[in-house]
Amino acid sequence: MKAELVNLIRFKASYYKLFQELLVQQYGFYFSENRSEYFREILLKFLKKSPYDTYEDFYHYLKDTIPGKKLFQQLMEEVTIGETHFFRNIPQLEVFKEYVIPELVKYKRLHESNTIKIWSAGSSTGEEVYTNAFILWETLPVPLTWNIQILGTDVNRNVVQKALEGIYSPMRSQRHLEPIILEKYFDVFESGKFRVKNFIRKFVDFQHHNLIRDQYCLPAMIDVDVIFCRNVMIYFDRETTKKVVQNFYDTLRDGGFLFLGHSETLWQCSDKFKIIDFPKAFIYQKDTSWKGRGKEVDLPVSIPDLSLEPVSSSETHPSTAKNLFGLQSVPESKSKESLYETVDLDAYLKIDTLYHEGVLAYEKKDYDTALKCFDEIIQKDRNYLIASYAKATILSNQGKYKEAIGSLEYLIETDNLFLEAYYLKGILHMKLHENNKAIQTFQKVIYIHPQHALTYFHLANLYKDMGQVQQSRLSWNNLKKICQDHPKNQVVPMSDNLTYESLETIADKVLSDLSEMKK
């Protein structure tokens, strides 16, 4: 039987689970239902490279023979090329720079050590590792006096080799790097490609490592200060995740830090870490006081970034579009000339200029100046609602959650269809552990925008955290349907570059966990 003629329905019914179990056993890699078609295509492609024509023979070839295992490694290398770039997830990197590194310095000085160990698990082509190296070099006091050891590991041997070379295309480098970083940390070849400079590469290493099957015994994996494992475990099943997290716990030194992906948590996986919550990010720390207390970790959540453009359009909720610029609604019968007569354009331009001054201050993290600008706008024109939203966002970033809620409540009273205000308010209620208020607020977001994916994500987690399994399952299923209605690689609004495909993978994983709990 030719591979091209394999009955696809029969494959899905009879062999999907068999190959899935083999993937989990060898690599911990779990293909969720939303990726089953892609999984089939990959298997068919590599089936054609084997001496066999049936999936049954192909399975035993991959599982039981040396040539088959080598082919299986090639198969996995094709499906484990993750999307990555320099300076990914800025909020987490700010926490690394402004909180974690100073804490490392204090700890090392207290223990009279100058060695800092950082491990990036699932490092792909190396951008994350080199980013951490740049930040360390910029932040550490007199970096030459420190023994910096940064390790990147990946199950894909091809990407490990590329990471070791440290060579990147101009488009890949320039897209996410400031010119000053390029000049300071990269050499430029005649071909136009960039290579990380030797003084950085000498304290960075990359190794092949399988988080599932290999021992955690490399020297750089002993008493690690910080582990980055971002957007890796979303592809593991729950039991595999538990095993990996326990290994991370054993690998970290006391009080060491763990960075996971934006949407990853340790729910149902470990209670041995404590959460350190920041307005726009959260991290985990090895909890040396753990006594098998059996307490679930709190549900972490991040403040969304402030959009620098008007945050809404008339397609979302018409009342906001007019209010963003201080304009009142104008009956269709009025002419364009009468519209201009009702608006003080000079005053509007002054307010608009003040708003952009506030935005520039916000970008520079000069929050005090930004707040002054937005407060002045609010005093001059209460209908310029984006100023109130910007003020609430800044207060949220400063950890002044109750003040921010007050600003949002005024905004919502003025425009009860302001979606972003409800969403941010729901996030703040979660930060304050006001779960019932968070649920009520997120339900209003769904009323305004029934396809708002992140809101279903938060509702599903809230219900799960409160033990309302049926409601949680319903929300996860609604989220799956929304994800399936969007292109897989499209970024989810208000997320940190999270795609609909990744979000659907998370939903599939949690639904599987909930089903196991029910059993």
Side-chain angles (χ1 to χ4, degrees):
M1 179 172 61
K2 298 297 183 183
E4 293 85 347
L5 300 178
V6 171
N7 187 303
L8 302 185
I9 296 176
R10 181 170 177 267
F11 161 73
K12 290 181 180 179
S14 304
Y15 295 113
Y16 180 84
K17 185 176 181 180
L18 201 62
F19 282 100
Q20 179 68 277
E21 288 175 351
L22 184 61
L23 283 168
V24 171
Q25 290 169 5
Q26 299 294 322
Y27 297 96
F29 200 90
Y30 178 80
F31 266 100
S32 56
E33 292 179 9
N34 67 301
R35 305 184 75 205
S36 60
E37 185 64 20
Y38 172 65
F39 185 28
R40 183 201 63 76
E41 291 172 0
I42 290 291
L43 286 173
L44 182 58
K45 175 181 176 179
F46 280 85
L47 172 58
K48 294 175 183 177
K49 295 182 180 182
S50 78
Y52 299 98
D53 291 323
T54 70
Y55 282 112
E56 185 173 359
D57 289 337
F58 182 50
Y59 168 77
H60 290 290
Y61 177 68
L62 295 180
K63 181 175 179 288
D64 300 326
T65 72
I66 293 176
K69 290 177 180 179
K70 290 181 179 179
L71 186 65
F72 196 27
Q73 173 71 28
Q74 294 174 23
L75 183 154
M76 284 305 300
E77 286 175 354
E78 179 154 332
V79 301
T80 56
I81 301 176
E83 170 63 25
T84 186
H85 55 72
F86 291 100
F87 291 90
R88 188 177 188 181
N89 195 331
I90 293 297
Q92 278 196 346
L93 295 178
E94 288 176 345
V95 169
F96 178 56
K97 175 182 173 65
E98 297 170 11
Y99 176 79
V100 171
I101 294 177
E103 287 296 309
L104 293 182
V105 172
K106 289 181 197 173
Y107 179 89
K108 298 300 178 179
R109 285 176 174 168
L110 181 65
H111 291 80
E112 298 182 349
S113 171
N114 72 333
T115 298
I116 291 179
K117 291 184 178 182
I118 296 176
W119 175 21
S120 175
S123 57
S124 190
T125 45
E127 287 91 335
E128 176 181 86
V129 175
Y130 289 123
T131 296
N132 292 337
F134 302 156
I135 294 173
L136 268 174
W137 196 262
E138 291 286 329
T139 309
L140 283 175
V142 196
L144 282 171
T145 63
W146 292 86
N147 175 26
I148 304 171
Q149 300 178 26
I150 303 181
L151 173 67
T153 64
D154 203 281
V155 72
N156 187 326
R157 296 180 188 274
N158 291 331
V159 299
V160 168
Q161 184 57 41
K162 290 180 181 179
L164 281 167
E165 294 168 357
I167 300 174
Y168 302 94
S169 66
M171 182 177 295
R172 193 175 184 91
S173 300
Q174 292 174 334
R175 184 173 51 175
H176 300 286
L177 293 173
E178 297 291 335
I180 190 171
I181 297 293
L182 283 169
E183 182 179 351
K184 186 172 182 178
Y185 294 110
F186 290 84
D187 293 317
V188 184
F189 294 158
E190 290 184 3
S191 64
K193 290 187 176 181
F194 294 80
R195 185 174 191 175
V196 179
K197 289 187 175 182
N198 285 334
F199 80 92
I200 292 292
R201 288 169 51 232
K202 72 179 182 181
F203 60 81
V204 170
D205 187 26
F206 293 91
Q207 298 279 345
H208 171 265
H209 184 263
N210 186 326
L211 290 171
I212 310 307
R213 297 178 62 83
D214 293 343
Q215 296 294 316
Y216 289 50
C217 58
L218 293 172
M221 294 180 181
I222 300 171
D223 288 332
V224 178
D225 293 295
V226 185
I227 295 177
F228 286 83
C229 186
R230 303 194 292 184
N231 303 315
V232 174
M233 293 190 293
I234 60 172
Y235 299 111
F236 294 166
D237 65 8
R238 181 154 56 108
E239 291 307 312
T240 301
T241 302
K242 284 182 178 181
K243 178 181 176 182
V244 171
V245 170
Q246 180 60 49
N247 284 331
F248 285 159
Y249 182 86
D250 295 337
T251 300
L252 284 167
R253 53 96 171 158
D254 290 350
F257 300 95
L258 173 63
F259 284 75
L260 299 181
H262 174 79
S263 58
E264 295 174 305
T265 73
L266 297 183
W267 182 80
Q268 287 286 309
C269 295
S270 176
D271 60 356
K272 297 182 180 181
F273 292 83
K274 65 179 180 181
I275 288 178
I276 305 178
D277 195 11
F278 300 87
K280 297 175 72 172
F282 62 90
I283 60 175
Y284 291 96
Q285 185 174 29
K286 182 173 179 177
D287 188 352
T288 54
S289 65
W290 181 79
K291 301 293 183 183
R293 59 193 177 278
K295 175 183 177 296
E296 293 291 346
V297 296
D298 290 333
L299 188 64
V301 65
S302 301
I303 303 295
D305 278 328
L306 169 65
S307 172
L308 302 184
E309 299 298 327
V311 294
S312 304
S313 69
S314 56
E315 293 179 358
T316 305
H317 38 89
S319 63
T320 300
K322 62 179 181 294
N323 284 327
L324 289 178
F325 304 100
L327 302 178
Q328 303 301 317
S329 59
V330 180
E332 292 183 7
S333 59
K334 284 200 172 185
S335 65
K336 187 182 293 186
E337 289 75 12
S338 63
L339 169 63
Y340 284 112
E341 290 173 1
T342 64
V343 177
D344 185 343
L345 291 179
D346 184 57
Y348 159 70
L349 290 174
K350 287 180 180 179
I351 290 176
D352 192 51
T353 300
L354 193 59
Y355 168 73
H356 288 288
E357 288 176 5
V359 167
L360 290 174
Y362 174 83
E363 289 179 331
K364 296 175 182 178
K365 296 186 180 179
D366 183 359
Y367 293 148
D368 290 339
T369 299
L371 279 174
K372 287 179 181 178
C373 291
F374 297 135
D375 276 333
E376 187 175 343
I377 292 171
I378 293 167
Q379 290 174 5
K380 291 182 176 180
D381 187 348
R382 300 284 285 182
N383 286 328
Y384 201 101
L385 296 186
I386 194 172
S388 293
Y389 180 75
K391 177 181 178 179
T393 302
I394 292 173
L395 291 171
S396 301
N397 288 330
Q398 293 178 325
K400 301 175 181 178
Y401 301 145
K402 291 187 177 180
E403 290 183 49
I405 288 175
S407 183
L408 291 169
E409 286 176 345
Y410 162 75
L411 196 162
I412 290 168
E413 286 177 11
T414 308
D415 180 356
N416 63 2
L417 294 177
F418 201 121
L419 181 145
E420 293 82 3
Y422 282 111
Y423 180 75
L424 178 55
K425 185 170 179 283
I427 295 293
L428 296 177
H429 284 309
M430 289 182 71
K431 288 281 190 183
L432 293 168
H433 304 289
E434 299 170 346
N435 289 353
N436 287 324
K437 289 183 178 179
I439 288 173
Q440 292 171 7
T441 306
F442 284 137
Q443 286 172 341
K444 292 176 182 176
V445 176
I446 298 301
Y447 172 77
I448 298 168
H449 187 354
Q451 292 282 305
H452 200 271
L454 277 187
T455 297
Y456 278 108
F457 174 78
H458 292 309
L459 279 172
N461 276 311
L462 280 165
Y463 288 130
K464 180 180 68 176
D465 197 48
M466 296 169 70
Q468 299 180 28
V469 176
Q470 186 175 350
Q471 285 294 102
S472 178
R473 186 180 290 109
L474 179 62
S475 295
W476 285 118
N477 280 317
N478 285 333
L479 175 59
K480 278 190 64 176
K481 292 175 184 176
I482 292 170
C483 292
Q484 291 165 359
D485 290 339
H486 290 80
K488 290 185 176 181
N489 293 325
Q490 183 177 333
V491 173
V492 179
M494 297 186 181
S495 74
D496 183 53
N497 293 317
L498 186 69
T499 64
Y500 282 101
E501 181 181 27
S502 297
L503 202 55
E504 187 179 357
T505 298
I506 294 167
D508 275 332
K509 179 180 176 181
V510 178
L511 283 168
S512 176
D513 290 346
L514 292 174
S515 296
E516 289 181 20
M517 289 171 61
K518 189 176 181 180
K519 295 175 184 177

